[in-house]
Amino acid sequence: MSLPHAILTALLEKPSSGLELTRRFDRSIGYFWSATHQQIYRELGKLEAEGFIRTLAAEQPTRGQKKSYEVLPAGRAELARWSAASQDPKPLRDVMLLRLRAAAVVGTDGIEADLRRHLDLHRQQLAEYEEIEKRDFPPGKDSPEDRLRHLVLQAGIDLETFWTQWLTRALEEFADLPTDPRR
Amino acid sequence: MSLPHAILTALLEKPSSGLELTRRFDRSIGYFWSATHQQIYRELGKLEAEGFIRTLAAEQPTRGQKKSYEVLPAGRAELARWSAASQDPKPLRDVMLLRLRAAAVVGTDGIEADLRRHLDLHRQQLAEYEEIEKRDFPPGKDSPEDRLRHLVLQAGIDLETFWTQWLTRALEEFADLPTDPRR
DNA sequence: CGAAACATGTAACTTGTTACATGATTAT
DNA sequence: ATAATCATGTAACAAGTTACATGTTTCG
């Protein structure tokens, strides 16, 4: 139940239409909670029905016309409640780790190229985060809100750093492997 | 589409019944791909229908009786195919990061306690992984298969290390915050 | 026998994904 | 006018979650 709260956060930061939200999910918010436009429209409908948000424009626009939303007091209260409520961390779920474990059984043919590709992608993502950090969080004078947002970005940077290091190490192991185990 | 392949990997490592698989998913395999018994039974049925696995026992057991499965050649081939096939990494999706971002907007009341709790949980998980490493991967003499499995475990250790460090840093930031932003 | 533990399974629901449909606005 | 883009939406499906149902074996 996190998507509605991601949307509430985004709308509090700035009232938006569905498509604008979709674009923001492709950028900042989507860096730790991704969503497609179909999910967003579905959820906007629910949030409006629950009285957490409302449309901005006085006239009800028809299909195809832009429709912007803002958060109502009940929505802000729900977000505060959710943010403070205790939630268990989700166990790790990673396809590449699973694939390596499978490769230990059925052989490593073909997987090395994808490890390289992932290394590239994670390096790109890391560079993107570092760019954002340079632009949005220059040294000195951070407001408390900025320090929290910086902390979140830092997690992204650290995680991408981890992946680049781990993938590099994995590829070194592959270089060392005498031959494929059982192929 | 990873759960069937997680099950194939587990069954290749050792033929098992549904409940045995469930227990193994609570331990080693679940450390990077979790699943409940309902998911597992559903998926075992599909895998059998597709001809990737078959029951071991000659007699068809009835409901309530143990039913063990083994992987057929087609299943092994499918696992090899999947493991080698290129797949994009999934974007990061983390509730705690989203909660912090929300807290930057609606206030940080209440979230600090859960950060502490998460720090504890991640420390426990890290200790568990390190225990497994000591037990299963003593220094020296690793077979190629073991090196791959060790690499996977290492990712778990590194990720838990990251979270403990990041949460420690987050809590330091909270100690520094003058007062809650906007509450 | 009765209770506990073992073992498999169903059903209903929520969330996420993929493909497609439709109307409105803008630029050539 | 028509093509491209903007914008909202539907439908069907896949995957994951939660609650419950049912039969079997073991042990006191």
Side-chain angles (χ1 to χ4, degrees):
Chain A
M1 280 276 294
S2 296
L3 177 58
H5 302 97
I7 291 176
L8 287 173
T9 303
L11 286 181
L12 278 170
E13 288 174 357
K14 179 170 167 38
S16 309
S17 67
L19 196 61
E20 282 161 2
L21 278 176
T22 302
R23 297 214 171 102
R24 290 171 62 198
F25 270 82
D26 285 342
R27 292 180 282 113
S28 61
I29 298 171
Y31 288 147
F32 46 90
W33 203 270
S34 60
T36 62
H37 85 270
Q38 292 88 341
Q39 277 180 283
I40 289 169
Y41 284 118
R42 193 203 293 178
E43 206 60 46
L44 283 171
K46 284 191 203 169
L47 286 168
E48 190 176 21
E50 288 169 317
F52 290 151
I53 63 174
R54 72 167 173 206
T55 58
L56 262 180
E59 298 295 328
Q60 281 309 93
T62 65
R63 183 179 186 133
Q65 274 178 322
K66 192 164 148 177
K67 198 160 83 175
S68 285
Y69 295 89
E70 68 177 351
V71 178
L72 294 169
R76 173 181 281 267
E78 166 57 21
L79 186 61
R81 184 203 63 72
W82 174 83
S83 165
S86 177
Q87 268 187 273
D88 283 338
K90 288 254 160 173
L92 174 60
R93 244 173 184 230
D94 188 87
V95 177
M96 185 55 91
L97 296 180
L98 190 56
R99 284 168 67 192
L100 267 195
R101 177 96 175 216
V105 179
V106 297
T108 54
D109 273 6
I111 203 174
E112 193 174 346
D114 215 32
L115 287 172
R116 268 182 231 291
R117 196 176 64 91
H118 278 223
L119 177 53
D120 252 21
L121 291 170
H122 284 294
R123 278 183 177 146
Q124 277 171 36
Q125 189 65 62
L126 178 56
E128 205 174 320
Y129 286 162
E130 283 173 340
E131 202 52 45
I132 294 171
E133 185 180 33
K134 211 190 303 176
R135 183 184 34 145
D136 291 358
F137 305 101
K141 59 179 165 103
D142 272 358
S143 70
E145 290 87 346
D146 275 350
R147 291 189 30 205
L148 288 179
R149 278 188 274 259
H150 192 174
L151 201 53
V152 172
L153 179 62
Q154 191 63 51
I157 290 174
D158 291 350
L159 280 167
E160 294 301 334
T161 301
F162 153 72
W163 280 113
T164 58
Q165 287 173 353
W166 182 82
L167 284 165
T168 301
R169 182 166 168 177
L171 284 165
E172 284 167 12
E173 287 282 339
F174 269 72
D176 278 7
L177 282 186
T179 45
D180 272 4
R182 111 166 47 185
R183 61 142 252 131
Chain B
M1 280 281 294
S2 297
L3 177 58
H5 302 96
I7 291 176
L8 287 173
T9 303
L11 286 181
L12 278 171
E13 288 174 356
K14 177 171 170 35
S16 310
S17 67
L19 196 61
E20 283 162 2
L21 278 176
T22 302
R23 296 214 173 101
R24 291 171 62 196
F25 270 81
D26 285 342
R27 294 180 282 114
S28 60
I29 298 170
Y31 289 148
F32 46 91
W33 203 272
S34 60
T36 61
H37 85 270
Q38 292 87 342
Q39 276 180 284
I40 289 169
Y41 284 117
R42 192 203 292 174
E43 207 59 47
L44 283 172
K46 285 192 202 169
L47 285 168
E48 190 176 21
E50 288 169 317
F52 290 151
I53 62 175
R54 73 168 172 206
T55 58
L56 262 180
E59 298 294 327
Q60 281 308 97
T62 65
R63 183 179 188 133
Q65 274 177 321
K66 193 163 146 177
K67 200 160 82 176
S68 285
Y69 294 90
E70 68 177 351
V71 178
L72 294 169
R76 174 182 280 268
E78 165 58 22
L79 186 61
R81 185 204 62 73
W82 173 84
S83 165
S86 175
Q87 269 187 272
D88 284 338
K90 289 254 161 171
L92 173 61
R93 248 178 179 222
D94 188 88
V95 177
M96 185 55 92
L97 296 180
L98 190 56
R99 284 169 68 192
L100 266 196
R101 176 94 175 217
V105 179
V106 297
T108 55
D109 274 6
I111 203 176
E112 194 174 344
D114 214 33
L115 287 172
R116 268 182 230 292
R117 194 176 66 90
H118 279 220
L119 178 53
D120 252 21
L121 291 170
H122 284 293
R123 278 183 177 146
Q124 278 171 35
Q125 189 66 63
L126 177 56
E128 204 174 319
Y129 286 161
E130 283 172 340
E131 202 52 45
I132 293 171
E133 185 180 34
K134 213 190 303 178
R135 182 183 32 139
D136 291 357
F137 305 102
K141 57 179 166 99
D142 273 358
S143 69
E145 292 87 345
D146 275 351
R147 287 181 45 196
L148 288 179
R149 278 189 275 258
H150 193 173
L151 202 53
V152 173
L153 179 62
Q154 190 63 51
I157 290 175
D158 291 351
L159 280 168
E160 294 301 333
T161 301
F162 153 72
W163 280 113
T164 58
Q165 286 173 354
W166 182 83
L167 285 164
T168 301
R169 181 167 168 176
L171 285 165
E172 284 167 11
E173 288 280 339
F174 270 72
D176 279 7
L177 282 186
T179 45
D180 273 3
R182 116 166 41 188
R183 63 142 253 132

